[in-house]
Amino acid sequence: MRALRSRVIPSSSAETPIKKSEQSTEIDTAAPASDGVEVVGTPSQSSVPAPDSGAPRSASVMPQPRRSLRLASAASRRGGGASAEGLPLPLKSCPWKGVGSGEGASPCEGEKVEAFTLGRRGGMSDRQNIGKRKLEDDASLIDSKGSKSLRSRKSVTKRAAHSDAENLVNAFDIEENQWIMLSKITDLDGGDTENREKGSCNDEVGSFRSRKILRREDKGKDKIGDNEVIGLGAESSGSKPGGIGDQPKYGAEEIGKAKIVCDNMLSDCSSVIDLDMEINNLRQKSESIGQEFLNVAVAQRKSHRVKAVGESSSSDIIRRNFRNIARRSASRFAHFNPDDEGGNNSQVKAERNASAAPRPADPEPEDWPGPFSTAMKIIRDRGTNVSTLQSNSFFNKWKSPIIWAPRRDRHTQAKRLIPSLLELCLNVLAANANAITSLDGVPDMPRHKLSQLLCDSRKMNKHFFDLLVGGSPTEIRVKDSSWLTEEELSESFKRCDTRNIMVLQLDQCGRCLPDYAISSISCSASCFPALSTISITGACRLTDDGLATLISSAPSLRSINISQCSLLTASSIVTLANKVGSLLRELYIDDCQSIDAMLILPALKRLENLQVLSVAGISSVSDDFVVEFVAQLGHNLRELVLSDCTNLTDASIKTIAEVCPGLLALNLVNLTKLTDSAVGYLANGCQALEKLILCRNTFSDEGIAAFLEASGELLQELSLNNVKKVSTDTAISLAKKSRKLQSLDLSWCRNMTDEAFGLIVDSCSCLKELKVFGCTQITDTFLNGHSNAEVKIVGLKMAPLLEHCRVLIPDNPLKY
Amino acid sequence: MRKEDTVKLISAEGFEFVIDKRAAMVSQTIRNMLTSPGSFAETQLGEVRFPEISTTILEKICQYFYWSLQYASGKETEFHIEPELTLELMMAANYLHT
């Protein structure tokens, strides 16, 4: 710990943005040890900011303070009878009687952190403790708060203090300067309304924080700041000052510990950052930290509610938990583990903890040891083993080396390129569509393909439409009917015998389908007796009445797609439920802006046989909606599309995983609030998943890899587009487990190397399509060297444009 | 060509086209017919009847089989299709899974 002291102290200029730092700075320079107490005290006074000030309070960032604080705390500790010795062992169980007894924080075994928290509370001795904490063990960081969160692997939600959250966010805005962040943290402390009473303590804490920041900088670990922030947030939420949060662990050891304990004292909901994650903390980039903060902020707000719940933890249990955790993490403190590049873990964990309790319930303990946890452990160990063999390089990207050598010969490449006779014929027909006189006898599939070709090349016209509609067709599919006018539509349908129509698809029909035009296609009630699937996306002039007319003419409707129909409101769904409630299997209401998710919930619950629900882009979809809907209908659900419903958090996924064992397809595009816990829940709960679409999610490499290990066997389509952290672990798991994979999207996954791609493509023998947009790191080594003859690689320089936009024509009216 | 290497495809009008087995295997349907376990007439006699495919179309299909083999071996030319035949050819190709 001595070494820490010799760190370079950031210039006070950095602190200027943070007000009040000045004062603390002075204090820091005071003689340590004996003066520790005073030193600590002074900054606190100066740094006590107004409660809840949103602006980042100037954390009294004092470069030196750390040092002095430490000594001071050490001294005071001893003096105060606090067991915190800091320097050594995290394991030491120190009953912080002296320190925190007042707050009732249950002393954690050997957790110095407690002392810190206690310090916040207020007694001067606390300050010392706090100082001490910082220096020492990571263990202290662990939930000293005594929240049960510890290591029973429970994810504890952070108590959110609103003010803290704000401060946290502010902290991040500042940028990566940890110490600035730290100072923010201190601000947070100060701002903690709850801690008002402990104003003085806050100051201390604040100063600690700033100290920490300084330290961090020295270490160059972004994570710490992050941890701290998180810790702070937690603290502020509870009345218990989260002294722990302040104690950033700067060393590798610290990082290991990095459990920021939020004020568990008050309630159970303190957020505890797993020790495991500590290591990752270090790696975390500041931007991820920022994200974490935001999440934490959100979580905090949520956990605020929860806070009250957790009062009941007994200190014994907490102590035991802490002891266990400390024991468990002892080894981590021993050496620096550069591995764990996935690095997101601590934040992720924090995130998870934070977001895991949006509802006023105890945050669920992670299913330990569930299949996901086991898989995670295996993956981590895999990485660990490799890293211990290597030198202590800070940045270790190659968690486990991938062994793959490219092939030499290329003779198998040409086979797949032969155009089929069907394709050739369709191309000729599409070129000469106006010369076709009749489509009698032509089966549905070629009709649809022809229609698709014509729509794509904008050659679709009334002539061909008449061909499609003429006679007694069974399926009419027009993917783009934007060229169609109302008159053309009514005229064509006059000649149509609608008795046998089972599928009617008139997408992009805004121009031709206002309310009054519905009568032109559905001339009488029940004029579509066999209609089971209808799709009228983009019918922007259609209102609830028009839709009601349409539905009443199709009594056996089983699938309806009314995406992008902006005038439809909740009453349409009510009409649907009334008329075809028990028949309806598929409902697509993407981007229907006028439909409010909570209002349609009662109607949705009446659709007893619903198998597919797509609510992409509807912003009113919240966790409450998902949980309630899934609780009622989850057992039948096969496909759920929740892309762009950005308010969703891990809680929804948890419920989905619990209640939807038969889920086959899940779309979580753009749900940035989800953390690795969500992946964990899915791995444990939705083991039949065949199609998983992720895009721009913030999952870690290990999380995805563990998911694949646990539940990746049946996957046929997987998209990890823009899931940037994906890397070697995922590649290895894909190669091992995903034998049935047919379509894989790894666009923008820059951490995947040629070897990783080669391994995946060669091992997944069913793979037909690989999308690699934005993966400029791929070289010819992979492109020419892989030995999978069937796979089509889309997205690199010479690939045909828009190839990936191929739409598969379903061969059944219903999907499942 | 030896008998074992050939397959006979019989059109609706009764015309018989004798082609290489490798060529016929380009069509998934014919491949399944000829390689399915069990004693079907097709496997035993080595001939397949297509009562719904006319002669001109069947001839074009055989031409496609050979073109496809040629394409696979590297010689990439264009396969021309007369527009009048295209619709029926498409339906036959759909049926034969080529």
Side-chain angles (χ1 to χ4, degrees):
Chain A
M1 292 309 184
R2 297 291 176 213
L4 284 174
R5 287 199 222 123
S6 50
R7 292 244 171 82
V8 175
I9 302 207
S11 65
S12 44
S13 58
E15 309 165 36
T16 40
I18 309 157
K19 51 166 184 117
K20 302 193 188 170
S21 1
E22 287 39 84
Q23 301 157 27
S24 28
T25 332
E26 299 159 16
I27 298 180
D28 291 337
T29 46
S34 54
D35 294 341
V37 177
E38 296 104 45
V39 173
V40 179
T42 339
S44 42
Q45 270 115 35
S46 56
S47 52
V48 175
D52 277 14
S53 65
R57 289 216 213 151
S58 51
S60 17
V61 178
M62 310 163 265
Q64 344 269 339
R66 264 202 285 184
R67 234 186 291 181
S68 46
L69 275 180
R70 258 198 272 175
L71 294 176
S73 58
S76 53
R77 284 276 164 85
R78 285 181 228 112
S83 47
E85 229 5 50
L87 290 182
L89 310 253
L91 289 191
K92 185 162 140 175
S93 46
C94 28
W96 295 99
K97 305 281 166 63
V99 179
S101 44
E103 289 112 14
S106 40
C108 325
E109 282 72 357
E111 301 301 328
K112 302 227 187 116
V113 182
E114 273 197 12
F116 277 97
T117 53
L118 296 176
R120 277 196 62 146
R121 300 284 177 142
M124 279 301 83
S125 57
D126 293 342
R127 293 205 208 116
Q128 299 156 8
N129 294 335
I130 296 175
K132 204 157 195 188
R133 293 238 175 173
K134 287 209 210 172
L135 307 182
E136 330 301 10
D137 18 28
D138 319 336
S140 53
L141 285 184
I142 301 187
D143 339 56
S144 54
K145 289 317 192 130
S147 44
K148 348 198 238 168
S149 52
L150 276 195
R151 278 336 182 168
S152 37
R153 301 278 186 207
K154 280 198 208 172
S155 51
V156 184
T157 53
K158 292 194 190 178
R159 314 274 241 90
H162 294 275
S163 56
D164 292 336
E166 289 161 15
N167 289 339
L168 284 173
V169 174
N170 289 332
F172 274 104
D173 290 343
I174 299 207
E175 48 187 321
E176 326 181 345
N177 285 338
Q178 289 124 13
W179 64 276
I180 293 182
M181 286 197 286
L182 284 177
S183 53
K184 290 294 175 210
I185 297 178
T186 54
D187 286 341
L188 284 174
D189 283 341
D192 189 3
T193 36
E194 293 158 38
N195 293 330
R196 272 309 128 224
E197 71 230 54
K198 308 183 192 181
S200 57
C201 298
N202 290 344
D203 288 339
E204 294 174 343
V205 178
S207 58
F208 280 129
R209 300 228 185 105
S210 48
R211 305 241 169 101
K212 289 194 207 174
I213 297 175
L214 296 179
R215 295 219 194 136
R216 278 256 245 81
E217 274 200 320
D218 294 346
K219 302 250 175 153
K221 306 209 183 284
D222 295 346
K223 263 332 188 35
I224 299 197
D226 188 15
N227 293 337
E228 294 183 331
V229 176
I230 294 174
L232 288 176
E235 295 171 21
S236 50
S237 55
S239 51
K240 296 224 169 218
I244 311 254
D246 303 355
Q247 323 300 333
K249 289 302 177 170
Y250 299 99
E253 301 80 19
E254 291 181 346
I255 295 194
K257 261 322 206 341
K259 283 292 180 113
I260 296 192
V261 180
C262 302
D263 49 287
N264 292 336
M265 300 311 200
L266 296 186
S267 70
D268 295 345
C269 319
S270 40
S271 49
V272 178
I273 302 207
D274 266 357
L275 288 178
D276 300 336
M277 299 203 280
E278 309 150 347
I279 298 182
N280 303 325
N281 294 341
L282 286 181
R283 315 304 166 69
Q284 214 36 279
K285 308 270 178 210
S286 47
E287 51 180 274
S288 50
I289 295 181
Q291 197 175 19
E292 289 284 19
F293 271 96
L294 289 174
N295 292 331
V296 170
V298 173
Q300 287 177 345
R301 295 211 169 91
K302 289 182 183 163
S303 56
H304 230 353
R305 280 185 277 147
V306 192
K307 219 176 25 168
V309 175
E311 298 290 335
S312 49
S313 58
S314 78
S315 59
D316 282 348
I317 295 176
I318 294 171
R319 237 177 252 129
R320 216 178 307 124
N321 287 341
F322 279 74
R323 195 191 299 267
N324 291 338
I325 292 174
R327 284 213 187 100
R328 237 191 320 242
S329 9
S331 55
R332 287 180 204 265
F333 295 92
H335 68 263
F336 175 70
N337 192 351
D339 191 50
D340 244 24
E341 174 59 11
N344 206 358
N345 290 359
S346 54
Q347 286 190 345
V348 171
K349 280 267 175 90
E351 219 22 82
R352 179 192 340 183
N353 295 345
S355 58
R359 313 176 160 280
D362 207 9
E364 304 286 318
E366 189 185 317
D367 192 3
W368 183 262
F372 181 72
S373 316
T374 317
M376 280 289 258
K377 185 169 189 323
I378 292 174
I379 288 167
R380 289 214 193 99
D381 289 346
R382 192 205 281 163
T384 313
N385 291 340
V386 171
S387 67
T388 49
L389 296 175
Q390 299 171 2
S391 63
N392 244 3
S393 61
F394 185 88
F395 186 75
N396 179 18
K397 253 193 160 7
W398 311 100
K399 298 193 201 183
S400 325
I402 287 185
I403 303 166
W404 174 80
R407 277 178 49 140
R408 296 286 153 211
D409 54 352
R410 292 200 53 193
H411 68 269
T412 52
Q413 305 282 342
K415 191 168 59 161
R416 63 177 189 264
L417 300 174
I418 307 172
S420 74
L421 187 56
L422 188 59
E423 267 177 57
L424 294 171
C425 292
L426 285 171
N427 290 340
V428 173
L429 283 174
N432 299 311
N434 290 332
I436 304 176
T437 52
S438 161
L439 286 178
D440 279 345
V442 178
D444 286 330
M445 187 58 69
R447 279 185 192 226
H448 300 328
K449 289 211 173 121
L450 205 45
S451 164
Q452 189 181 72
L453 276 174
L454 287 176
C455 287
D456 283 345
S457 54
R458 306 293 294 175
K459 289 200 188 137
M460 191 64 170
N461 55 20
K462 182 165 190 305
H463 169 81
F464 194 80
F465 188 68
D466 283 341
L467 294 178
L468 280 182
V469 164
S472 186
T474 49
E475 296 190 11
I476 301 175
R477 286 192 190 264
V478 180
K479 151 181 173 190
D480 174 5
S481 15
S482 55
W483 51 272
L484 196 56
T485 67
E486 296 162 27
E487 296 80 23
E488 287 171 346
L489 181 67
S490 63
E491 208 190 311
S492 295
F493 262 89
K494 273 200 197 95
R495 285 185 257 125
C496 176
D497 178 8
T498 59
R499 274 174 307 166
N500 296 328
I501 294 186
M502 283 173 47
V503 173
L504 177 60
Q505 176 186 0
L506 286 176
D507 285 345
Q508 313 303 321
C509 57
R511 180 178 177 192
C512 62
L513 214 55
D515 278 358
Y516 50 85
I518 291 285
S519 54
S520 63
I521 55 172
S522 68
C523 35
S524 61
S526 182
C527 76
F528 287 111
L531 190 61
S532 81
T533 304
I534 186 167
S535 171
I536 40 167
T537 71
C540 49
R541 294 161 72 194
L542 193 67
T543 67
D544 295 336
D545 297 330
L547 187 67
T549 315
L550 192 57
I551 296 174
S552 52
S553 66
S556 42
L557 199 60
R558 289 190 287 166
S559 161
I560 183 163
N561 185 339
I562 37 177
S563 305
Q564 288 101 38
C565 293
S566 34
L567 293 181
L568 297 184
T569 71
S571 56
S572 294
I573 312 296
V574 175
T575 316
L576 267 177
N578 289 338
K579 301 230 165 106
V580 291
S582 54
L583 288 176
L584 205 63
R585 304 270 188 95
E586 304 179 1
L587 178 62
Y588 300 84
I589 44 175
D590 301 342
D591 301 315
C592 288
Q593 301 304 333
S594 305
I595 291 186
D596 181 284
M598 299 312 287
L599 288 180
I600 63 172
L601 204 48
L604 278 187
K605 289 196 202 168
R606 288 195 279 149
L607 305 174
E608 298 140 7
N609 289 320
L610 201 65
Q611 289 180 343
V612 175
L613 178 68
S614 176
V615 287
I618 297 188
S619 47
S620 50
V621 166
S622 63
D623 283 343
D624 294 330
F625 171 84
V626 173
V627 169
E628 217 179 309
F629 169 76
V630 158
Q632 177 86 16
L633 296 175
H635 51 281
N636 261 340
L637 216 54
R638 306 281 172 89
E639 177 169 334
L640 196 52
V641 175
L642 299 168
S643 59
D644 298 314
C645 298
T646 45
N647 292 329
L648 295 183
T649 69
D650 289 345
S652 316
I653 308 297
K654 179 168 184 296
T655 317
I656 291 173
E658 281 167 7
V659 183
C660 304
L663 198 65
L664 295 176
L666 186 59
N667 182 323
L668 302 174
V669 167
N670 257 329
L671 298 187
T672 46
K673 291 189 185 168
L674 299 185
T675 70
D676 272 358
S677 338
V679 182
Y681 297 135
L682 283 179
N684 292 340
C686 294
Q687 309 227 313
L689 218 51
E690 286 178 5
K691 179 171 155 181
L692 181 62
I693 309 293
L694 304 175
C695 179
R696 281 186 278 274
N697 300 94
T698 54
F699 303 134
S700 71
D701 189 23
E702 289 166 353
I704 302 285
F707 169 82
L708 288 168
E709 296 270 345
S711 308
E713 307 214 347
L714 296 173
L715 267 184
Q716 290 175 12
E717 187 176 332
L718 176 65
S719 167
L720 297 171
N721 189 331
N722 244 305
V723 182
K724 299 218 187 242
K725 303 200 183 92
V726 162
S727 168
T728 52
D729 277 337
T730 304
I732 294 176
S733 297
L734 272 174
K736 253 173 63 180
K737 289 282 175 167
S738 305
R739 297 294 157 165
K740 294 197 178 166
L741 202 60
Q742 292 178 16
S743 165
L744 179 61
D745 184 350
L746 288 171
S747 305
W748 306 100
C749 294
R750 305 290 194 115
N751 292 329
M752 288 288 225
T753 61
D754 277 337
E755 285 78 25
F757 278 111
L759 186 67
I760 293 172
V761 166
D762 284 350
S763 311
C764 298
S765 41
C766 295
L767 196 65
K768 301 245 172 19
E769 179 181 57
L770 176 67
K771 293 191 192 159
V772 287
F773 288 94
C775 289
T776 48
Q777 78 275 13
I778 295 182
T779 68
D780 280 346
T781 318
F782 161 66
L783 292 173
N784 295 337
H786 73 88
S787 44
N788 187 333
E790 307 284 323
V791 71
K792 251 177 140 185
I793 298 180
V794 175
L796 296 176
K797 286 182 287 245
M798 298 311 281
L801 215 53
L802 297 181
E803 178 92 7
H804 64 291
C805 293
R806 247 183 2 215
V807 172
L808 290 177
I809 299 177
D811 42 1
N812 288 327
L814 296 178
K815 259 188 178 176
Y816 298 103
Chain B
M1 299 196 295
R2 289 177 299 165
K3 180 115 185 355
E4 308 78 63
D5 293 339
T6 65
V7 185
K8 196 189 284 187
L9 306 181
I10 306 172
S11 76
E13 289 95 8
F15 272 80
E16 299 176 355
F17 294 88
V18 178
I19 59 171
D20 212 33
K21 233 184 203 167
R22 273 186 318 130
M25 297 294 198
V26 171
S27 155
Q28 270 306 113
T29 313
I30 297 181
R31 181 197 292 257
N32 292 342
M33 281 182 191
L34 293 177
T35 57
S36 63
S39 55
F40 291 110
E42 287 89 2
T43 47
Q44 290 193 333
L45 299 177
E47 62 180 49
V48 188
R49 293 179 183 276
F50 296 108
E52 60 277 335
I53 303 182
S54 73
T55 310
T56 35
I57 303 296
L58 194 54
E59 181 182 8
K60 199 73 188 170
I61 289 177
C62 294
Q63 288 178 6
Y64 172 78
F65 290 155
Y66 282 103
W67 176 87
S68 162
L69 290 183
Q70 195 185 58
Y71 198 99
S73 71
K75 188 169 168 196
E76 299 182 6
T77 54
E78 195 196 319
F79 185 71
H80 179 71
I81 304 176
E82 287 78 14
E84 313 80 57
L85 299 179
T86 314
L87 198 59
E88 288 180 29
L89 190 60
M90 180 195 74
M91 293 199 278
N94 187 40
Y95 171 70
L96 288 175
H97 273 116
T98 66

